[in-house]
Amino acid sequence: MEPLTDDDVPAWWQRLGLPGLIDIHTHFLPDRMMRRVWAHFDDAGPLIGRPWPINYRWDQDARLAHLRRLGIRRFTALTYAHKPGMAADLTEFALDLSEENPDCVPSATFFPEDGVVHQVRSALDRGARVFKLHPQVGGFDLREPILDEAWGLLAEAGVPVVIHIGSGPVPRGGATGPDKLEGVLRRHPNLTAVVAHLGAPEYAEFLDLADRYPRVHLDTTMAFTDFFEDVAPFPTELLPRLADLGDRIMLGSDFPNIPYSYAHQLKSLERLREQEPGLDDDWLRAVCWSNGQRLIGD
Ligand SMILES: [Zn+2]
């Protein structure tokens, strides 16, 4: 297949008859923090593991403009804390951003610390429509008792929580892996969890969780790209299960923190049909639009 460039993206979704794209996994952070995150990627630090040249190292206005040029009708401002005392400010930043930018879904985060229930409740009160947690960076266990009431609130509210819980790119003992999420789901089976990166590299285990818990979704973030396939290839024999779970797979990109173009993520999804015919245009329409619309659309 021919390479697709970002300029081609509007034609890509128009061909599918879509009004645009919905991306549940994009990042916005206060400027100083974003620069610090990029510095970590530059250093290929211990949680990153390999060179990771950021493709969209632009200021915030340019990044917002680019998403709109691509036709991303709804996107998120996922933030996450790596230590106590940060989550409330990050949530405030993200919610302020979506007040100024209605196409940015009101986004929030929380952290296992005193006041976590208040963090979640006040974010919901301010209209948060999606949360993000990153235990691989935060070094905590989703099953920590201090989080239990927060999970209950989120399950009841039906608001999705995007969680980087797979052990890629680098596992973190006590924090990553399917058993952590499973422990939460056992207590809160209705939680709307969105497993980031399709759960890489524990793809099969997270698909099992999605089979057992009907509110578990998975996002495509970085999956199937050349960059990801090098280190955490998605097993071909699991592709039919992605077709079966077509109403629970959602487009995610990790924009802007990706070492390739946005278009490459889309092309990587489109080329799956060469291996599994069930991953066809209908599947793409669900992944790139309807599933997202159901969870974070209007
Ligand atoms: Zn991410």
Side-chain angles (χ1 to χ4, degrees):
M1 281 192 186
E2 288 166 32
L4 189 80
T5 70
D6 281 5
D7 288 341
D8 306 323
V9 167
W12 189 88
W13 50 256
Q14 279 157 17
R15 186 193 71 76
L16 292 168
L18 295 177
L21 302 169
I22 297 177
D23 185 337
I24 198 170
H25 195 134
T26 58
H27 292 287
F28 285 90
L29 284 172
D31 262 345
R32 251 187 38 223
M33 266 187 80
M34 193 58 124
R35 280 197 295 272
R36 232 179 296 144
V37 168
W38 287 342
H40 280 292
F41 283 107
D42 289 343
D43 296 345
L47 294 176
I48 310 257
R50 62 192 296 215
W52 196 299
I54 303 286
N55 205 42
Y56 299 99
R57 192 184 295 249
W58 304 341
D59 69 36
Q60 183 169 288
D61 286 344
R63 283 181 270 120
L64 285 165
H66 193 64
L67 287 174
R68 289 166 185 149
R69 210 175 300 131
L70 294 170
I72 317 299
R73 303 288 179 233
R74 305 288 275 161
F75 52 89
T76 56
L78 301 187
T79 66
Y80 46 88
H82 64 276
K83 58 177 189 202
M86 296 173 67
D89 288 348
L90 289 170
T91 293
E92 192 172 307
F93 164 83
L95 292 176
D96 288 349
L97 186 73
S98 37
E99 261 169 29
E100 292 153 27
N101 299 275
D103 44 354
C104 179
V105 179
S107 311
T109 189
F110 55 101
F111 196 82
E113 59 186 322
D114 285 345
V116 62
V117 174
H118 176 73
Q119 287 170 16
V120 171
R121 202 187 308 265
S122 55
L124 288 171
D125 287 347
R126 265 196 78 184
R129 301 276 306 272
V130 63
F131 285 72
K132 167 72 190 280
L133 278 191
H134 204 324
Q136 191 232 12
V137 168
F140 57 85
D141 188 325
L142 298 180
R143 300 167 297 185
E144 289 180 28
I146 197 171
L147 291 176
D148 194 59
E149 197 179 338
W151 293 126
L153 280 176
L154 290 162
E156 196 177 320
V159 170
V161 190
V162 179
I163 313 173
H164 183 135
I165 188 61
S167 299
V170 179
R172 183 150 181 183
T176 56
D179 53 319
K180 316 297 187 299
L181 180 59
E182 186 175 8
V184 174
L185 290 168
R186 233 179 263 139
R187 292 183 52 75
H188 305 282
N190 293 324
L191 181 73
T192 307
V194 181
V195 175
H197 308 286
L198 283 179
E202 292 113 333
Y203 299 110
E205 291 88 338
F206 284 107
L207 289 172
D208 288 345
L209 282 184
D211 281 339
R212 282 165 43 212
Y213 294 96
R215 298 293 302 164
V216 170
H217 297 64
L218 303 103
D219 81 32
T220 65
T221 306
M222 299 191 82
F224 313 112
T225 63
D226 297 342
F227 184 79
F228 227 55
E229 286 287 291
D230 275 352
V231 285
F234 189 89
T236 314
E237 68 271 17
L238 296 180
L239 288 172
R241 296 182 63 187
L242 287 188
D244 293 344
L245 284 168
D247 58 346
R248 272 175 304 136
I249 315 284
M250 330 194 26
L251 174 65
S253 67
D254 243 347
F255 178 91
N257 301 335
I258 40 179
Y260 45 75
S261 72
Y262 195 101
H264 178 60
Q265 175 73 71
L266 299 176
K267 200 67 187 176
S268 302
L269 297 173
E270 188 180 20
R271 68 189 176 187
L272 292 173
R273 67 188 58 184
E274 294 165 16
Q275 299 178 73
E276 167 51 49
L279 303 174
D280 55 8
D281 283 355
D282 280 341
W283 184 81
L284 282 179
R285 282 188 274 269
V287 169
C288 296
W289 185 261
S290 9
N291 298 340
Q293 195 183 35
R294 209 169 49 243
L295 279 204
I296 55 168
D298 297 313

